Amino acid sequence: MRRVLSALMIGTVVLASAAPVMARQAPVSAKAAVTEVQSVKQEPDLRVGLAVKQGSVTVSPVGGKGTARTEGGKGASLAAGQSYDVRWQNGAYLVGREKLRGEVLTIRPSGKGAGAGEFTLNGRRYRGALELRHKGGGLTAVNIVPVDGYLLSVVPEEMPVDWPAEAIKAQSVAARSFALASRGRHASEGYDLCTTTHCQLYTGTAAEKSASNAAIKATRGEVLTYGGKPIEALFHTDSGGMTENSEDVWGSHVPYLRAAKDTPTKTMPWTKTISRADLERKLAAKGHDIGKVRSIALSPLAIGRAAKDRTASGRVKTMTVKGTKGTATLSGTTWRSLLGLKSTLFDAKLTKDAVTFTGYGSGHGLGISQWGTKRLAESGKSYADILHHYYTGTKLQQLY
């Protein structure tokens, strides 16, 4: 995913029923501030942004008491299961009736047994601690949580838990690697990762499932590395038969994001029809007023075969639409975004009143194909085999 990229990824695709819920977007920078992988005794923490610009929040320790404390200041004790309204007023945090002065308020749950070390924020339950800062005219809430505690929510959000165990293990390692490689992605906002598909979906303990918990435990501390650093392990829903080279999506070469063939091909077929008038309006709205559409120039799709206007996987590199007033030649990713297509692995046919797009796969095509991962696991491949199939030249290393 990333680093010094000239273009951002297309948005996510939400699938129905048993399909994965997202395909991650690329970050704005291609150089993550990560250190070389060395074994560490303690599992690293992540800072996950839960909310911004909040006038107030409601917090409650779950399984035991908690403390609310500002840096260098006095603390307040929080009773288990009791809710506290927290707001910023006249240069101090009001926690219930307690006034705590300082820049940063940290709330740490404690205790033993069920729910120990957990808290709720506005009714949603999380592991770890909560940090509040007064920023941008409101409160920014950040969850400080160990990596694997974070994954307990992320992995079942990203992959169906009734899929094969080796597929879920592969997703766990990919999600862990991505999270560690992406620390600081939202540094200007005061945290590492957000809770949306811009980073990885994170909704708290309600998402946790036993099958994904087991996969995370089985791969504890394992990360994919390239050149001694965790990789941004991108994934997408389905490749359609072949994944993509990074430079053909972002314009930036990432050595471990190389096109890899999947079997079978032409998976997850889709069709979308757009009227000529709608296509003309959409182009004009983006500054390409070409008048009435007269023709479309695009070579036929052949998965795994490159052409002057197609990438090595067969995805659209560029497509040209000619009109009565001009011509628009746009990249495949631009067409996908403009027209809401599921992938760039498509053909286009112009008829009297419309353009019909027929294609395969879903998502940007980089890194893991999640449905491809499922098929590989079902064929007997291990999670390590799956990861090395999709992430070229990487190593599977133990971090903690």
Side-chain angles (χ1 to χ4, degrees), residues 47-83:
R47 297 172 54 82
V48 186
L50 302 181
V52 297
K53 296 182 180 178
Q54 300 293 299
S56 66
V57 296
T58 302
V59 180
S60 175
V62 175
K65 295 181 179 180
T67 59
R69 187 179 301 277
T70 55
E71 72 284 2
K74 71 173 184 176
S77 179
L78 308 180
Q82 183 172 330
S83 295

Side-chain angles (χ1 to χ4, degrees), residues 35-333:
T35 57
E36 193 157 321
V37 169
Q38 297 176 346
S39 294
V40 294
K41 292 182 180 179
Q42 187 173 345
E43 181 181 344
D45 283 338
L46 296 172
R47 297 172 54 82
V48 186
L50 302 181
V52 297
K53 296 182 180 178
Q54 300 293 299
S56 66
V57 296
T58 302
V59 180
S60 175
V62 175
K65 295 181 179 180
T67 59
R69 187 179 301 277
T70 55
E71 72 284 2
K74 71 173 184 176
S77 179
L78 308 180
Q82 183 172 330
S83 295
Y84 297 84
D85 290 328
V86 183
R87 66 180 66 249
W88 177 264
Q89 185 173 305
N90 298 327
Y93 293 97
L94 291 182
V95 183
R97 296 181 179 180
E98 293 282 346
K99 180 180 289 187
L100 304 176
R101 294 193 176 277
E103 295 297 319
V104 182
L105 176 69
T106 302
I107 296 174
R108 294 189 182 279
S110 59
K112 296 180 180 180
E118 299 177 16
F119 66 92
T120 64
L121 174 70
N122 296 336
R124 183 170 284 184
R125 188 163 161 175
Y126 300 93
R127 296 176 180 273
L130 177 67
E131 179 185 279
L132 296 171
R133 293 175 181 262
H134 183 252
K135 184 177 178 137
L139 296 177
T140 293
V142 177
N143 185 193
I144 303 171
V145 60
V147 176
D148 282 19
Y150 165 78
L151 295 182
L152 293 174
S153 172
V154 167
V155 174
E157 293 280 13
E158 303 292 10
M159 179 172 280
V161 295
D162 59 352
W163 281 15
E166 294 301 299
I168 304 173
K169 290 177 188 177
Q171 182 72 60
S172 299
V173 175
R176 184 183 293 112
S177 303
F178 175 81
L180 290 169
S182 301
R183 282 181 291 183
R185 189 174 180 194
H186 287 272
S188 63
E189 297 154 272
Y191 47 89
D192 294 320
L193 302 163
C194 68
T195 60
T196 74
T197 56
H198 177 262
C199 293
Q200 297 186 115
L201 286 175
Y202 178 68
T203 58
T205 63
E208 297 178 11
K209 300 290 188 294
S210 58
S212 47
N213 290 357
I216 294 161
K217 182 178 180 180
T219 62
R220 178 174 170 78
E222 292 183 2
V223 295
L224 281 171
T225 67
Y226 189 93
K229 297 179 180 180
I231 70 165
E232 284 185 286
L234 300 190
F235 62 87
H236 59 285
T237 303
D238 185 88
S239 74
M242 190 170 183
T243 66
E244 191 58 278
N245 293 319
S246 63
E247 60 270 23
D248 289 324
V249 180
W250 300 330
S252 176
H253 182 276
V254 179
Y256 52 80
L257 293 178
R258 303 291 88 204
K261 291 184 178 180
D262 274 330
T263 303
T265 60
K266 296 185 177 181
T267 51
M268 203 167 284
W270 55 267
T271 300
K272 183 167 186 176
T273 299
I274 298 173
S275 70
R276 285 193 185 217
D278 195 20
L279 176 59
E280 292 157 3
R281 284 193 296 269
K282 287 178 181 293
L283 283 170
K286 293 296 182 180
H288 305 283
D289 186 2
I290 64 170
K292 300 294 183 182
V293 172
R294 288 290 178 255
S295 65
I296 293 178
L298 179 64
S299 60
L301 168 62
I303 295 173
R305 184 182 301 172
K308 65 179 181 179
D309 55 358
R310 290 188 181 273
T311 69
S313 70
R315 286 175 172 77
V316 175
K317 186 183 296 182
T318 59
M319 184 177 77
T320 299
V321 177
K322 294 182 179 180
T324 55
K325 295 166 58 178
T327 299
T329 299
L330 306 177
S331 71
T333 54

